[in-house]
Short mmCIF file of all heavy atoms in Angstrom, two decimals:
data_model
loop_
_atom_site.label_atom_id
_atom_site.label_comp_id
_atom_site.label_asym_id
_atom_site.label_seq_id
_atom_site.Cartn_x
_atom_site.Cartn_y
_atom_site.Cartn_z
N VAL P 38 92.61 120.88 105.40
CA VAL P 38 92.31 119.68 106.15
C VAL P 38 91.54 118.70 105.27
O VAL P 38 90.59 119.07 104.59
CB VAL P 38 91.46 120.02 107.40
CG1 VAL P 38 91.14 118.77 108.20
CG2 VAL P 38 92.21 121.03 108.27
N CYS P 51 100.46 110.59 98.25
CA CYS P 51 101.84 111.05 98.47
C CYS P 51 102.65 110.68 97.25
O CYS P 51 102.74 109.49 96.89
CB CYS P 51 102.43 110.42 99.73
SG CYS P 51 104.14 110.92 100.06
N ARG P 70 113.89 104.04 101.92
CA ARG P 70 113.03 103.69 103.05
C ARG P 70 111.84 104.63 103.06
O ARG P 70 112.00 105.85 103.05
CB ARG P 70 113.81 103.80 104.35
CG ARG P 70 113.05 103.42 105.62
CD ARG P 70 114.03 103.49 106.80
NE ARG P 70 113.43 103.06 108.05
CZ ARG P 70 112.95 103.88 108.98
NH1 ARG P 70 112.98 105.20 108.76
NH2 ARG P 70 112.43 103.42 110.09
N ALA P 188 83.60 101.47 114.96
CA ALA P 188 84.64 102.49 115.06
C ALA P 188 84.55 103.24 116.38
O ALA P 188 85.56 103.53 117.02
CB ALA P 188 84.53 103.47 113.88
N GLU P 195 81.13 102.92 125.15
CA GLU P 195 80.45 101.81 125.82
C GLU P 195 79.04 102.22 126.17
O GLU P 195 78.78 103.34 126.63
CB GLU P 195 81.19 101.38 127.09
CG GLU P 195 80.45 100.27 127.83
CD GLU P 195 81.21 99.76 129.05
OE1 GLU P 195 82.03 98.86 128.88
OE2 GLU P 195 80.95 100.26 130.16
N MET P 222 79.08 87.41 123.79
CA MET P 222 80.54 87.37 123.73
C MET P 222 81.18 86.70 124.93
O MET P 222 82.39 86.79 125.13
CB MET P 222 81.10 88.78 123.52
CG MET P 222 80.61 89.43 122.23
SD MET P 222 81.56 90.85 121.69
CE MET P 222 83.10 90.07 121.21
N MET P 234 66.93 91.34 113.44
CA MET P 234 65.77 91.14 114.29
C MET P 234 64.48 91.46 113.54
O MET P 234 64.48 92.15 112.52
CB MET P 234 65.88 92.04 115.53
CG MET P 234 67.14 91.79 116.36
SD MET P 234 67.19 90.13 117.09
CE MET P 234 65.90 90.27 118.32
N VAL P 246 75.47 111.41 113.65
CA VAL P 246 75.44 112.74 113.05
C VAL P 246 76.84 113.11 112.63
O VAL P 246 77.82 112.82 113.34
CB VAL P 246 74.85 113.78 114.03
CG1 VAL P 246 75.67 113.87 115.32
CG2 VAL P 246 74.71 115.15 113.36
N GLU P 252 75.83 126.72 114.77
CA GLU P 252 76.53 126.66 116.05
C GLU P 252 75.57 126.40 117.20
O GLU P 252 74.49 127.01 117.29
CB GLU P 252 77.25 127.99 116.29
CG GLU P 252 78.01 128.07 117.60
CD GLU P 252 78.56 129.45 117.87
OE1 GLU P 252 78.21 130.40 117.14
OE2 GLU P 252 79.34 129.59 118.85
N ARG P 272 64.33 131.63 120.59
CA ARG P 272 63.71 132.40 119.50
C ARG P 272 64.09 133.87 119.62
O ARG P 272 64.38 134.54 118.62
CB ARG P 272 62.20 132.21 119.54
CG ARG P 272 61.48 132.64 118.26
CD ARG P 272 60.01 132.29 118.36
NE ARG P 272 59.82 130.87 118.65
CZ ARG P 272 58.70 130.37 119.14
NH1 ARG P 272 57.67 131.16 119.43
NH2 ARG P 272 58.59 129.07 119.37
N TRP P 288 79.64 118.55 121.17
CA TRP P 288 80.50 117.92 122.18
C TRP P 288 81.72 117.27 121.52
O TRP P 288 82.85 117.43 122.00
CB TRP P 288 79.71 116.88 122.96
CG TRP P 288 80.58 115.94 123.75
CD1 TRP P 288 81.24 116.20 124.91
CD2 TRP P 288 80.91 114.59 123.39
NE1 TRP P 288 81.95 115.10 125.32
CE2 TRP P 288 81.77 114.10 124.40
CE3 TRP P 288 80.56 113.75 122.33
CZ2 TRP P 288 82.31 112.81 124.37
CZ3 TRP P 288 81.08 112.47 122.29
CH2 TRP P 288 81.94 112.00 123.31
N ARG P 315 81.61 116.46 140.06
CA ARG P 315 80.35 117.20 140.20
C ARG P 315 79.62 117.39 138.87
O ARG P 315 78.54 117.99 138.84
CB ARG P 315 80.64 118.58 140.83
CG ARG P 315 81.47 119.49 139.96
CD ARG P 315 81.76 120.82 140.66
NE ARG P 315 82.51 121.73 139.80
CZ ARG P 315 81.95 122.55 138.93
NH1 ARG P 315 80.63 122.57 138.79
NH2 ARG P 315 82.69 123.35 138.19
N GLY P 322 81.52 112.75 127.99
CA GLY P 322 80.36 112.40 127.18
C GLY P 322 79.25 113.42 127.35
O GLY P 322 79.37 114.40 128.09
N ARG P 328 64.03 111.47 134.36
CA ARG P 328 63.00 111.72 135.36
C ARG P 328 63.03 110.65 136.45
O ARG P 328 62.83 110.93 137.62
CB ARG P 328 61.61 111.75 134.71
CG ARG P 328 60.50 112.13 135.70
CD ARG P 328 59.10 112.00 135.09
NE ARG P 328 58.97 112.76 133.85
CZ ARG P 328 57.83 112.83 133.17
NH1 ARG P 328 56.74 112.20 133.60
NH2 ARG P 328 57.77 113.52 132.05
N GLU P 337 59.97 116.62 133.55
CA GLU P 337 58.69 117.31 133.40
C GLU P 337 58.92 118.64 132.67
O GLU P 337 59.88 119.36 132.98
CB GLU P 337 58.08 117.59 134.77
CG GLU P 337 57.59 116.36 135.50
CD GLU P 337 56.24 115.87 134.96
OE1 GLU P 337 55.70 116.52 134.03
OE2 GLU P 337 55.76 114.85 135.48
N SER P 340 59.74 121.61 134.78
CA SER P 340 60.96 121.67 135.61
C SER P 340 61.90 122.73 135.04
O SER P 340 61.81 123.11 133.86
CB SER P 340 61.63 120.30 135.66
OG SER P 340 62.00 119.86 134.36
N ASP P 343 68.79 125.12 132.42
CA ASP P 343 69.37 126.03 131.44
C ASP P 343 68.87 125.61 130.05
O ASP P 343 67.98 124.77 129.92
CB ASP P 343 70.90 125.98 131.50
CG ASP P 343 71.44 126.78 132.69
OD1 ASP P 343 70.64 127.39 133.42
OD2 ASP P 343 72.67 126.77 132.89
N LEU P 354 72.30 134.29 108.22
CA LEU P 354 72.34 135.12 107.01
C LEU P 354 71.04 135.88 106.84
O LEU P 354 71.03 137.04 106.47
CB LEU P 354 72.61 134.23 105.79
CG LEU P 354 74.03 133.67 105.68
CD1 LEU P 354 74.10 132.70 104.51
CD2 LEU P 354 75.04 134.80 105.48
#
Side-chain angles (χ1 to χ4, degrees):
V38 180
C51 179
R70 181 175 184 262
E195 177 176 273
M222 300 196 69
M234 301 296 289
V246 59
E252 179 187 10
R272 196 175 304 161
W288 165 75
R315 65 182 183 86
R328 185 187 306 182
E337 290 282 359
S340 60
D343 282 358
L354 288 174

